[in-house]
């Protein structure tokens, strides 16, 4: 990825340009110390003077009023705030008319910023004050008072906090009074610029110590640049939070969100005082000290999938290379390319007006349809369809270009969604709620309606990243997510009435991805790269989960690595320095998944015998129990030395009725309540009591015996025997109450048990024979 710079031979301004701002993806306003506001049209390459300001007004900062989200008519901003050296800020219309001038600070107003909703404006000045204003310019509050000039300010993603500079310190102050203020020393020199991105929640800072830094919203350092030759005078996030730009003297740098540099350009600009990204995130404008406005277009972005590599060579041209035969195709577009995604044998490209869908089998005839709104901020793909996110909503399309659905939820803000907070599978769409970060919304892909009974997935901590598995049946769909404590959890997506278990899979997980060919999950855990070959093991037999994992040392990936993709058996990881590392995992677990999904149990056993690995046998054991194939489970458990479970499975096989077998299989998986329910529904009350006795659930065993008025003496007998073994006296009041005046006769108890077993056998054989007679012609 690099920047393609364009700079006019002669500057349009006579003095330094202090600030720039985009109205649309092709139109920019620039303000200069020559008191002119100039409009640039990039389509026609024309410039025109909008207004000449009075000679005593030197503009310092400009920020366009945010356009209403999702309203198609208002495709561009209509007014902006301009701060100036005379202590005022001016509300100016798009045509250049000064609507209002407000006395705001003593000394220059150094920065002004609208919040994301356009309901409030924050200004900071040389007098060290931070003030909040209404959108009409009425003072609401003085948020803080510093002893030093405040050079830069930014709103938090939820518009509830403000970040500002104070010398070498950065300060985050919530709008609520008495809320905790966060302050930390960020640079060794005065901080000149800050920016806070609403999508990734990360903070940028730049200072006179010639460094730029990336922080999280708790003030923890994520990246610290090497010192440059000159102070860093500007930094700005791209709208989607994936890239940022850095400006200095004769320097423009393009960086990844983790801090490392994609491109470094040395245009003849003087210092770049202000950087603005276009609304679609494809180009940058810089306000230069020598009167120029520098434009830079982001080109040479790359997308890879299997043997295909797609490169954006120019604004409207892509090159596709097939590395197997070195065949090259050129894709030409009518408009500028904004976003693209390559996965599942399809390339989806959005331009400013249209969406193109190419199949990797045929690059010549794309499917083309018009977009509702031009600025697509996210494309996600699944095997059957793809998702587009823009300022107006979330839209699901098939690869044939057919519109499928558009999920909606209360308080939906599409401008802050990214690949970590939205996930797509063949039947489900999952979206993390920004208003309450402990909640995940789940929608049916085909209808866009809430999944199941509409219950939300709620967790005890804030959720950072979510991912849906890609294969298998809708009823078995699972979602994995990482929470604020960096714990990895898995849970079922289908939620009807009963509360689904959310089970912890791992700790200190920084990034995760599901395979696109089978339900294998991988993640980077602290210093290890971990693959969960069969994550559903946690629902079946948690004891053998560690045996189903593959782990290897991940120290080679250095700090903050990120999983880019998991295609087939190849995982691509981006290291902190931007280099890509490819890891191949064993292809055998994927083949095992395939055999099991087709119920080819003999082939699965044969494969495990051929591979001779404990992880394969452990996965097969869990898969067999999940699919109720006890013969295979017995072989697999024996292979990993779980002799107690082999014996238990043998005892299950000998049980007379299918309900009893099913209940004991559920008990093997730890689902005791379900096991009990199956037995009670089948009328096998004694068996339900017996499983509670075997598990020493004495309270529940007695409760069932009393409720169904049967086997109270059996429960008391087993309880007495249990206490005698340990030489203890009865202290439980309920047991004392029912045991009063009762003599335990073991002969009678055994006879009753024998009778229950005989009854169950008879019942089972009679139901079997009635089935057989029903089959006769």
């Amino acid at each position: 990825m690099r920047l393609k710079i364009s700079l006019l031979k002669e500057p349009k301004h006579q003095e330094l340009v202090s600030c720039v701002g985009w109205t649309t993806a092709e139109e920019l306003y620039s303000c200069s110390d020559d008191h002119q506001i100039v409009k640039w049209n990039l389509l026609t390459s024309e410039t025109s003077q909008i207004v000449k300001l009075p000679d005593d007004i030197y503009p310092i900062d400009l920020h366009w009023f945010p356009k209403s989200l999702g309203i198609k008519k208002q495709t561009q901003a209509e007014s902006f705030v301009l701060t100036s050296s005379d202590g005022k800020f001016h509300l100016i219309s798009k045509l250049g008319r000064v609507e209002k001038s407000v006395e705001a600070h003593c000394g220059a107003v150094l920065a002004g910023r609208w919040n994301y909703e356009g309901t409030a404006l924050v200004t900071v000045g040389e007098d060290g004050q931070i003030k909040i204003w209404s959108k009409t310019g009425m003072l609401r509050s003085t948020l803080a008072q510093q002893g030093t000039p405040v050079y830069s300010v930014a709103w938090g993603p939820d518009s509830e906090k403000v970040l500002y500079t104070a010398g070498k310190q950065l300060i985050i102050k919530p709008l609520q009074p008495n809320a905790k203020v966060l302050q930390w020393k960020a640079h060794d020199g005065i901080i000149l610029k800050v920016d806070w991105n609403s999508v990734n929640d990360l903070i940028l800072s730049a200072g006179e110590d010639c460094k730029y830094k990336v922080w999280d919203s708790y003030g923890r350092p994520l990246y610290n640049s090497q010192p440059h030759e000159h102070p860093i005078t500007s930094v700005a996030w791209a709208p989607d939070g994936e890239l940022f730009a850095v400006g200095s003297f004769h320097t423009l740098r393009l960086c990844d969100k983790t801090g490392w540099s994609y491109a470094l350009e040395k245009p003849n600009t003087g210092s770049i005082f202000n950087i603005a990204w276009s609304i679609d995130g494809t180009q940058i404008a810089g306000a230069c000290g020598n009167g120029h406005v520098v434009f830079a277009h982001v080109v040479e972005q790359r997308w890879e999938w299997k043997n295909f590599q797609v490169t954006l060579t120019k604004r409207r041209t892509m090159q596709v290379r097939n590395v197997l035969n070195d065949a090259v195709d050129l894709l030409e577009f009518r408009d500028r390319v904004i976003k693209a995604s390559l996965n599942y044998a399809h390339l989806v490209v959005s331009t400013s007006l249209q969406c193109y869908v190419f199949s990797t089998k045929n690059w010549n005839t794309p499917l083309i349809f018009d977009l509702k709104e031009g600025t697509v901020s996210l494309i996600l793909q699944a095997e059957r369809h793809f998702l587009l996110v823009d300022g107006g909503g979330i839209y699901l399309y098939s690869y044939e270009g057919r519109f499928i659905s558009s999920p909606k939820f209360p308080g939906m803000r599409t401008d802050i969604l990214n690949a970590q907070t939205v996930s797509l599978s063949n039947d489900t769409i999952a979206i993390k709620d920004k208003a309450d970060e402990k909640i995940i919304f789940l929608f049916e892909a085909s209808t866009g309606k809430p999944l199941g009974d509409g219950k939300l997935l709620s967790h005890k901590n804030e959720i950072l990243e979510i991912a849906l598995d890609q294969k298998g049946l809708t009823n078995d769909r699972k979602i994995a997510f990482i929470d604020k404590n960096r714990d990895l959890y898995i849970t079922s997506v289908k939620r009807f009435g009963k509360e689904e278990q959310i089970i912890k899979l791992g700790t200190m997980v920084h990034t995760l991805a599901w395979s696109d060919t089978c339900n294998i999950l991988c993640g980077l855990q602290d210093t290890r790269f971990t693959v969960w070959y069969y994550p559903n093991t946690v629902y079946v037999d948690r004891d053998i989960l560690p045996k189903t994992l593959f782990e290897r040392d991940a120290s080679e990936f250095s700090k903050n690595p990120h999983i880019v993709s998991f295609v087939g058996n190849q995982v691509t990881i981006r290291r902190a320095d931007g280099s890509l590392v490819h890891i191949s995992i064993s292809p055998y677990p994927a083949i095992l998944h395939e055999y099991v999904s087709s119920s080819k149990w003999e082939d699965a056993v044969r494969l495990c015998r051929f591979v001779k690995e404990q992880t394969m046998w452990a996965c097969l054991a869990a898969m067999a129990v999940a699919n109720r194939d006890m013969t295979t489970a017995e072989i697999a458990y024996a292979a990993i030395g779980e002799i107690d479970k082999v014996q238990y499975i043998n005892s299950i096989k000998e049980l007379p009725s299918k309900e009893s077998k099913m209940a004991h299989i559920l008990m093997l998986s730890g689902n005791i309540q379900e096991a009990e329910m199956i037995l009670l529904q089948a009328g096998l009350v004694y068996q339900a009591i017996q499983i509670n006795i075997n598990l020493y659930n004495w309270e529940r065993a007695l409760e069932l015996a009393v409720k169904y008025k049967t086997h109270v003496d059996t429960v008391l007998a087993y309880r007495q025997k249990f206490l005698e073994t340990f030489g203890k006296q009865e202290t439980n009041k309920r047991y004392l109450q029912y045991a009063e005046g009762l003599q335990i006769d073991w002969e009678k108890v055994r006879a009753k048990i024998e009778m229950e077993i005989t009854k169950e056998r008879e019942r089972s054989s009679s139901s079997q024979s009635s089935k057989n007679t029903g089959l006769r012609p």
Side-chain angles (χ1 to χ4, degrees), residues 545-565:
L545 180 67
K547 292 182 180 176
T548 64
L549 305 184
F550 164 75
E551 291 185 322
R552 60 169 276 185
D553 181 50
S555 53
E556 62 179 288
F557 308 133
S558 68
K559 209 174 93 174
N560 293 334
H562 174 70
I563 297 172
V564 178
S565 65

Side-chain angles (χ1 to χ4, degrees), residues 654-665:
E654 288 163 12
L655 291 168
S657 68
K658 73 172 197 308
E659 288 89 357
S660 276
K661 283 178 182 165
M662 181 63 122
H664 282 270
I665 291 168

Side-chain angles (χ1 to χ4, degrees), residues 345-382:
H346 287 89
L347 171 69
V348 181
V349 180
S350 81
T351 67
S352 47
L353 296 171
Q354 293 170 311
C355 181
Y356 295 72
V357 183
F358 297 86
S359 165
T360 54
K361 295 182 183 74
N362 178 9
W363 296 103
N364 300 322
T365 50
L367 192 137
I368 307 169
F369 60 89
D370 291 338
L371 291 169
K372 290 187 170 75
E373 191 181 297
T375 51
V376 170
S377 57
L378 180 66
I379 304 174
L380 286 182
Q381 287 177 261

Side-chain angles (χ1 to χ4, degrees), residues 344-579:
Y344 296 102
H346 287 89
L347 171 69
V348 181
V349 180
S350 81
T351 67
S352 47
L353 296 171
Q354 293 170 311
C355 181
Y356 295 72
V357 183
F358 297 86
S359 165
T360 54
K361 295 182 183 74
N362 178 9
W363 296 103
N364 300 322
T365 50
L367 192 137
I368 307 169
F369 60 89
D370 291 338
L371 291 169
K372 290 187 170 75
E373 191 181 297
T375 51
V376 170
S377 57
L378 180 66
I379 304 174
L380 286 182
Q381 287 177 261
E383 193 180 9
R384 293 185 199 150
H385 41 234
F386 64 94
L387 192 77
L388 297 180
V389 177
D390 66 18
I394 300 163
Y395 309 100
L396 190 69
Y397 292 92
S398 70
Y399 287 113
E400 291 76 49
R402 183 173 54 83
F403 173 72
I404 300 171
S405 66
S406 177
K408 290 181 174 60
F409 56 90
M412 182 168 86
R413 262 184 70 187
T414 54
D415 59 321
I416 54 176
L417 298 176
N418 64 4
Q420 280 75 47
T421 56
V422 186
S423 187
L424 177 69
S425 72
N426 283 338
D427 42 56
T428 312
I429 303 167
I431 304 169
K432 188 187 90 170
D433 187 11
K434 190 69 183 174
D436 181 354
E437 301 205 15
K438 296 174 183 175
I439 284 174
I440 299 171
F441 291 104
L442 299 164
F443 301 96
E444 276 179 23
S446 55
T447 61
K449 290 180 179 155
L451 199 67
D453 55 6
K455 263 179 119 174
L456 304 173
L457 197 162
S458 180
H459 185 53
K460 58 179 186 282
N461 291 323
E462 287 168 23
I463 297 164
L464 299 179
E465 189 172 341
I466 63 174
L468 288 161
D469 64 9
Q470 296 300 311
K471 290 289 176 179
L473 302 169
T474 311
N475 287 339
D476 299 330
R477 181 74 55 235
K478 299 285 187 292
I479 185 167
F481 60 86
I482 300 171
D483 73 5
K484 194 174 156 188
N485 298 335
R486 293 284 170 196
D487 290 331
L488 172 64
Y489 290 86
I490 189 169
T491 186
S492 184
V493 161
K494 283 274 182 185
R495 311 179 89 70
F496 282 104
K498 67 171 185 155
E499 196 57 48
E500 288 290 340
Q501 278 184 299
I502 298 177
I503 303 176
K504 191 192 282 193
L505 268 184
T507 55
M508 293 310 291
V509 180
H510 301 285
T511 172
L512 80 159
W514 287 96
S515 166
D516 65 341
T517 50
C518 57
N519 291 338
I520 295 176
L521 180 68
C522 73
L524 285 163
Q525 249 187 312
D526 218 3
T527 56
R528 302 187 311 285
F529 169 70
T530 308
V531 181
W532 289 265
Y533 283 138
Y534 186 57
N536 283 10
T537 306
V538 292
Y539 289 99
V540 180
D541 184 354
R542 222 177 290 188
D543 301 343
I544 62 166
L545 180 67
K547 292 182 180 176
T548 64
L549 305 184
F550 164 75
E551 291 185 322
R552 60 169 276 185
D553 181 50
S555 53
E556 62 179 288
F557 308 133
S558 68
K559 209 174 93 174
N560 293 334
H562 174 70
I563 297 172
V564 178
S565 65
F566 188 178
V567 178
N569 65 327
Q570 187 158 331
V571 182
T572 305
I573 294 170
R574 175 167 276 135
R575 294 180 9 160
D577 62 359
S579 57

Side-chain angles (χ1 to χ4, degrees), residues 145-182:
Q145 168 77 58
Q146 295 293 129
T148 53
V150 179
Y151 288 100
S152 189
V153 67
W155 286 94
D158 53 4
S159 299
E160 295 293 324
K161 300 186 188 84
V162 169
L163 163 75
Y164 57 90
T165 68
K168 301 173 185 179
Q169 309 271 323
L170 282 179
I171 299 170
I172 296 176
K173 186 164 173 60
L175 298 189
Q176 286 91 6
N178 306 325
K180 193 180 169 203
V181 176
L182 186 64

Side-chain angles (χ1 to χ4, degrees), residues 109 147 200 241 252 261 285 299 336 361 426 472 475 497 510 549 581 614 627 657 670 697 715 728 737 752 758 776-777:
V109 185
N200 62 30
L252 186 60
S261 189
V299 290
R336 193 177 63 254
K361 295 182 183 74
N426 283 338
N475 287 339
H510 301 285
L549 305 184
V581 182
Q614 189 190 41
N627 289 280
S657 68
N697 288 346
V715 176
K728 299 272 185 185
Q737 179 192 337
K752 277 174 87 173
T758 311
R776 283 181 192 152

